[in-house]
Amino acid sequence: MPIEMQRRKEQDRSIAGRFEMRRRLPDPGLDGIVSDICGYRETAAGHFRNVEYASLTVPLVVSFAEPFAIGLGKAPGDNDRFASFAAGLFAGPVMIESFGAACCVQINLTPLGARRFFRLPMSELTDSMVVLDDVLGTEGRALREQLGNAPDWASRFDLAEAFVTARLASAAETPLEIAWAYHRIIASGGRTRIASIAERVGWSRKHLAEKFNEATGLGPKTLSRIVRFNRALGLSRQPTADWADIAADCGYADQAHLVREFRDLAGETPTALVSR
C-alpha cells in the first residue's frame, strides 16, 4: 500500500459492543495544525469514565447526541455538561464521563494550529471549555449540521478537514519567534532553559511569556512541564523502565520531583498511573 494511502487510512476500535471509535490522520497539508480527527459513538447503555492527562492537544468537539460530563482536575458535577465545545490547554488531569448515548467528531489541534484556526488569543480558552457557538459562531452551527447529516465517518472526516483548511486560508501566520520557541521546547523534551530561549529571540522573559500565553494559552515554563511529563510517561511504558533513570533523563531534580509533577499533571503517582 502506498505511504499516502497508509497515512490516510482510518483506524477502527471498539470494545465489547460498548462504543466505536474511528481515527484519521490529517492531510499532509494540515501537519502541525491538526494531530488527528476522531469519531466516537457509544453503542450500549452505561456510565463510562475516562481520565485524560495534561497534554498539548486543543480539542474541538462537535456532538450530535448527549453531552459529556467534564471536570478539570476534579470529578464533574451536575452542571459540568458539555456537548459541542472547544477546550484550551489545562495543566492537570481532565475527568470525562458519558452515559451511553454520546456521538461526536473531535478535531485535535496543536496549540499553534488552534491559535490560527480559532483566530483568537488562546489564553481565552485556557483551563476552560467554550461552547461551539462562542468560538465559531454561525460557521460552527453550520459545521455541526453538516457533520450530523453526513452518511458515514469518512464523509464527516472529509467535511472536518475541508472546514479547517478553509479557515486557515485567511488566518495569520504564527510569529517566527513564537514558532521557533515552541518547537525548540518540543525538540528538547522541555529541558531548554526559558532564559536562553528569550535571549535567542531577542525578547525579555516577561515579553516571551506574554506572547507565548497569547499564542498557546500557557507560558513557556508550564508548557515545558507538560512536555517533560509526557516524555516521562512515554519512557515509563518501556519494559525496563526505571523511575530514577527516567527522572534524570527528563530533567527532573530527583525522583521526588517527578512524583510531584505526575500528581499535578495526571492526578496520580507514577506507579499508580502506569499500573492502571
Side-chain angles (χ1 to χ4, degrees):
M1 181 183 294
I3 293 176
E4 182 58 20
M5 290 182 65
Q6 291 179 354
R7 178 183 179 84
R8 304 288 292 152
K9 184 177 180 180
E10 291 150 15
Q11 301 173 1
D12 291 299
R13 181 186 175 198
S14 62
I15 293 185
R18 297 168 61 192
F19 71 84
E20 63 171 329
M21 182 180 292
R22 180 74 61 87
R23 175 175 177 265
R24 178 193 284 186
L25 296 178
D27 182 275
L30 294 177
D31 278 348
I33 303 295
V34 175
S35 56
D36 64 354
I37 304 173
C38 300
Y40 176 78
R41 183 174 72 91
E42 292 173 348
T43 57
H47 186 181
F48 307 117
R49 296 180 176 90
N50 183 45
V51 178
E52 294 187 358
Y53 312 126
S55 75
L56 298 184
T57 295
V58 179
L60 173 66
V61 176
V62 183
S63 176
F64 325 117
E66 286 191 358
F68 295 91
I70 304 174
L72 298 179
K74 63 179 180 64
D78 292 338
N79 295 325
D80 298 322
R81 300 295 178 94
F82 301 90
S84 297
F85 64 92
L89 296 182
F90 174 65
V94 180
M95 287 69 167
I96 304 171
E97 298 183 1
S98 56
F99 307 94
C103 183
C104 67
V105 167
Q106 179 168 322
I107 304 171
N108 290 320
L109 299 148
T110 68
L112 297 185
R115 174 65 181 90
R116 295 184 60 203
F117 174 79
F118 290 117
R119 304 175 188 171
L120 52 78
M122 290 309 297
S123 54
E124 296 185 14
L125 272 64
T126 304
D127 299 349
S128 62
M129 279 74 68
V130 181
V131 298
L132 183 68
D133 291 2
D134 288 346
V135 289
L136 294 178
T138 57
E139 288 184 81
R141 290 193 291 273
L143 175 65
R144 181 171 52 214
E145 182 176 354
Q146 290 174 347
L147 292 177
N149 291 333
D152 50 43
W153 289 119
S155 300
R156 286 170 172 166
F157 293 162
D158 290 342
L159 286 168
E161 284 193 348
F163 183 82
V164 174
T165 301
R167 280 187 65 86
L168 292 176
S170 57
E173 294 289 341
T174 303
L176 293 177
E177 296 90 346
I178 292 297
W180 183 87
Y182 176 85
H183 291 298
R184 179 58 187 152
I185 290 173
I186 300 298
S188 70
R191 299 192 61 171
T192 297
R193 293 176 59 251
I194 306 305
S196 67
I197 292 177
E199 182 180 359
R200 178 68 179 270
V201 300
W203 291 349
S204 68
R205 289 187 62 176
K206 180 179 179 181
H207 186 67
L208 176 66
E210 290 174 349
K211 291 296 185 181
F212 225 82
N213 191 50
E214 189 272 343
T216 70
L218 296 175
K221 183 176 180 180
T222 302
L223 191 138
S224 295
R225 289 179 62 208
I226 294 175
V227 172
R228 283 196 301 272
F229 160 73
N230 278 280
R231 183 164 184 268
L233 184 60
L235 291 174
S236 73
R237 297 189 174 112
Q238 297 179 359
T240 58
D242 177 86
W243 286 114
D245 291 342
I246 291 173
D249 192 17
C250 293
Y252 292 107
D254 50 33
Q255 193 168 336
H257 182 199
L258 179 147
V259 171
R260 292 195 298 273
E261 289 292 271
F262 267 63
R263 287 187 182 277
D264 285 348
L265 300 176
E268 296 184 278
T269 64
T271 51
L273 185 153
V274 170
S275 63
R276 183 170 65 80

